[in-house]
Amino acid sequence: MDSIPAHVPVRSKVKVTAIPGDGIGPEVMQATQQVLAAAGAQVEWEEALAGAEAFRKGIAAGAPQETLDSIARNGVALKGPLETPVGYGEKSANVTLRKVFEMYGNVRPVRELPGIRTPFSGRGIDFVVVRENVEDVYAGIEHMQTPGVAQCLKIITEAGCERIVRLAAAVAEAEGRKKVTVSTKANIMKLTEGMLKRVGEQVLKDYPSLTHEHMIVDNCAHQMVIRPEQFDVTVMTNMNGDILSDLAAGLVGGLGVAPSANLGDEAAMFEAVHGSAPQIAGKGIANPTALLLSSLMMLRHIGDFATARRIEHALYVTLEEGKDLTGDIARDGEGVPTAAFVDRIIANLGRESLNVPDREYRPIALKKWPQITWYRAASTRELVGVDVFVESERDPRAISITLQAAAEGSAFDLTMIGSRGAQVWPDVGGHTFLVDHFRARFMFREPPKGNGIAEITDLLQRIGRQHNWMHIEKLQRFDGADAYSKA
Ligand code: NAP
């Protein structure tokens, strides 16, 4: 082991909002703050509330205004886990914080840790998952279509894809990485997932030093397990990234040691991936590694690379030597309290691990996105039809007869009826299971003279006399290309 010179503070303290959170949150927060203080990190903490206590006080968003103000003022937060109410009305405080500050990028390093044995130890796993953090099905726009059929909208924007791909490229450049893998389900969801693929292909041309590849996300899950060392930086839409980043964390020791950053234009929030672990809360045995590693991402974010490196090596030496580890990672199963683990890390400050290759970190060059509504013009737009979603217990043939009758004298022809994406009329000989939810596709016989609204309203009135319809989708063509999926 070599020794690292103590960090020489070069500037004044940076104010950071500290949200201890719920369950084991206050314990791991205190442990992290202790290590940072001992290492001489130039941080001044401003403690703020969020999570269960906020909900108990009747704050429906899970975070009071003072907390939001503190993050807005400081622009940087370190956050403990927050309990999420499951299955009842209140929002997730985590989602509130990410959305209020539009922290669109979730960055999750996946790096083999010395002394943490997993089935993948020794493979040299070292990559970063960049997950889009605010769009996709996590927009939370859900509707019951019929009493037995639910729908959730998957919203993907070109702007959202561009900024997350550029963030992935910036992370790659900041860490001296060489490859960005855009991972999507574009083969099935050609418009939504396909948008990330297309934008990735376009945007990554601006980064000639980076190799770009596309990988279908299910294969990506497989490849992460089969050959995880091939990855460098991966970028995904929200739900795919949510699932695969947890899978990736499992490769290198699990959620208890997985750090993350939530990055946006106005604020950055660093947090452990794990939750509040209520079963072990208050016992003084929680492992603070994940929050400590998150705080190192935070130190690098505020430019204190030297302190981050010093703490990282002290942690690695501690893990390598295997003395005084918490129960979840202790090799002999005999864990020590959080406080003893922290003392050991502090005692190891200044020692250097030779087993972990040093990475040259530079600041992540985050582009600021303009505060305007993003608008992409199309040179031509055509309205060619409308999908009407109807509720019916009848069979597709019977529905087609009533819908064709409804369309008679309107501006439309009924061309197709689908059930959950599969065409069921005209009959194509499939064996589709039927529920009470159908998509009826009506195409304009001739292009509408005006905006088509009068024709659509007329059609809906006709359909409404016989069927309960839930919603409609206009079928459009932008720049001459169909802007809707086929059955
Ligand atoms: P969890 O809190 O991550 O805990 C699952 C288990 O993992 C714990 O019971 C514990 O296992 C182990 N564990 C997690 N972190 C640990 C640590 N630092 N040290 C030692 N062991 C650790 O997941 P959960 O039980 O599903 O979620 C609990 C609550 O946290 C929920 O309300 C959930 O919504 C919330 N949550 C919040 C966040 C966040 O704020 N970002 C993230 C995830 C979950 P053993 O019991 O085997 O020791």
Side-chain angles (χ1 to χ4, degrees):
M1 311 272 174
D2 284 348
S3 70
I4 307 177
H7 169 50
V8 183
V10 288
R11 56 207 188 106
S12 58
K13 291 198 169 189
V14 175
K15 263 200 180 174
V16 173
T17 303
I19 302 171
D22 301 319
I24 60 170
E27 300 162 53
V28 292
M29 178 63 78
Q30 196 203 4
T32 300
Q33 289 174 325
Q34 243 178 300
V35 177
L36 263 63
Q42 294 300 293
V43 169
E44 185 185 332
W45 303 104
E46 191 171 280
E47 193 166 313
L49 171 77
E53 200 185 324
F55 286 122
R56 274 196 295 275
K57 287 184 171 172
I59 300 161
Q65 191 57 42
E66 302 88 77
T67 300
L68 304 181
D69 291 345
S70 170
I71 300 174
R73 241 186 344 265
N74 300 328
V76 189
L78 184 67
K79 186 184 79 60
L82 306 179
E83 253 174 54
T84 309
V86 178
Y88 55 98
E90 287 167 301
K91 299 261 178 201
S92 152
N94 287 313
V95 175
T96 297
L97 294 174
R98 282 176 212 151
K99 291 221 171 195
V100 165
F101 292 99
E102 189 74 15
M103 296 183 204
Y104 62 84
N106 183 239
V107 179
R108 302 235 327 226
V110 182
R111 190 178 195 182
E112 197 174 321
L113 292 169
I116 306 264
R117 298 221 179 94
T118 75
F120 297 88
S121 292
R123 299 277 290 266
I125 297 174
D126 182 3
F127 62 95
V128 183
V129 179
V130 176
R131 161 191 168 194
E132 202 292 322
N133 220 11
V134 291
E135 298 194 338
D136 202 351
V137 285
Y138 290 47
I141 307 171
E142 295 191 296
H143 299 94
M144 291 304 294
Q145 293 284 294
T146 75
V149 178
Q151 172 192 272
C152 177
L153 292 187
K154 181 174 171 83
I155 307 279
I156 303 285
T157 70
E158 212 169 59
C161 291
E162 177 170 353
R163 64 185 180 178
I164 200 65
V165 172
R166 290 202 188 276
L167 173 61
V171 167
E173 288 184 330
E175 300 192 3
R177 293 176 183 273
K178 296 278 169 277
K179 184 170 72 171
V180 175
T181 305
V182 179
S183 184
T184 75
K185 195 70 185 169
N187 51 331
I188 303 295
M189 286 164 273
K190 297 179 195 305
L191 299 184
T192 51
E193 288 286 314
M195 187 174 276
L196 181 66
K197 177 174 184 287
R198 285 189 296 279
V199 170
E201 283 157 1
Q202 197 55 40
V203 165
L204 287 167
K205 285 185 190 149
D206 294 347
Y207 304 85
S209 65
L210 299 173
T211 309
H212 160 230
E213 67 176 9
H214 175 258
M215 196 179 276
I216 298 291
V217 69
D218 38 343
N219 182 36
C220 185
H222 168 242
Q223 293 292 329
M224 274 189 183
V225 177
I226 297 291
R227 212 161 58 81
E229 57 281 359
Q230 72 183 282
F231 292 102
D232 214 358
V233 175
T234 63
V235 57
M236 295 174 220
T237 51
N238 204 343
M239 193 166 96
N240 293 337
D242 189 6
I243 297 167
L244 286 201
S245 59
D246 269 25
L247 180 150
L251 302 173
V252 293
L255 299 185
V257 295
S260 78
N262 299 286
L263 304 179
D265 282 0
E266 305 303 324
M269 187 170 74
F270 300 83
E271 61 178 322
V273 168
H274 63 72
S276 57
Q279 301 89 329
I280 57 167
K283 295 186 179 164
I285 57 170
N287 183 355
T289 300
L291 191 65
L292 185 60
L293 287 170
S294 309
S295 78
L296 303 189
M297 297 176 80
M298 180 198 84
L299 288 178
R300 291 186 175 114
H301 178 77
I302 62 176
D304 196 350
F305 293 93
T307 310
R309 181 172 185 275
R310 199 162 123 80
I311 298 173
E312 187 171 42
H313 276 272
L315 171 67
Y316 286 177
V317 169
T318 307
L319 296 175
E320 267 161 29
E321 293 187 343
K323 283 187 225 143
D324 294 337
L325 303 185
T326 49
D328 57 318
I329 52 172
R331 285 173 216 156
D332 52 8
E334 292 291 315
V336 300
T338 312
F341 179 50
V342 167
D343 287 346
R344 177 63 66 178
I345 298 169
I346 291 173
N348 283 331
L349 282 169
R351 296 180 69 198
E352 185 158 5
S353 160
L354 296 179
N355 293 325
V356 182
D358 253 331
R359 191 167 272 292
E360 279 290 320
Y361 289 96
R362 289 188 301 263
I364 299 176
L366 271 182
K367 184 177 174 349
K368 274 237 174 195
W369 299 93
Q371 296 298 308
I372 54 166
T373 307
W374 279 58
Y375 177 76
R376 166 119 119 65
S379 50
T380 61
R381 289 165 176 258
E382 299 152 72
L383 179 62
V384 293
V386 64
D387 275 348
V388 183
F389 291 76
V390 295
E391 178 177 3
S392 178
E393 289 159 23
R394 285 181 251 171
D395 67 76
R397 218 181 74 79
I399 299 169
S400 74
I401 291 168
T402 54
L403 289 179
Q404 277 174 315
E408 229 175 86
S410 79
F412 298 89
D413 277 332
L414 175 72
T415 61
M416 186 274 293
I417 297 175
S419 166
R420 294 166 301 134
Q423 180 172 324
V424 292
W425 181 90
D427 188 11
V428 287
H431 300 278
T432 308
F433 180 74
L434 297 175
V435 290
D436 57 355
H437 181 258
F438 294 90
R439 174 174 55 144
R441 176 156 289 180
F442 294 90
M443 301 303 279
F444 273 106
R445 272 184 222 115
E446 291 165 14
K449 302 256 178 324
N451 61 11
I453 303 288
E455 290 88 338
I456 293 173
T457 311
D458 171 56
L459 177 70
L460 291 177
Q461 275 174 353
R462 291 160 176 270
I463 294 172
R465 288 184 200 121
Q466 300 220 34
H467 290 283
N468 178 31
W469 60 265
M470 282 77 68
H471 81 265
I472 64 161
E473 292 289 342
K474 286 183 183 176
L475 304 176
Q476 305 183 81
R477 287 168 61 80
F478 298 139
D479 295 326
D482 289 346
Y484 52 91
S485 60
K486 306 285 184 299

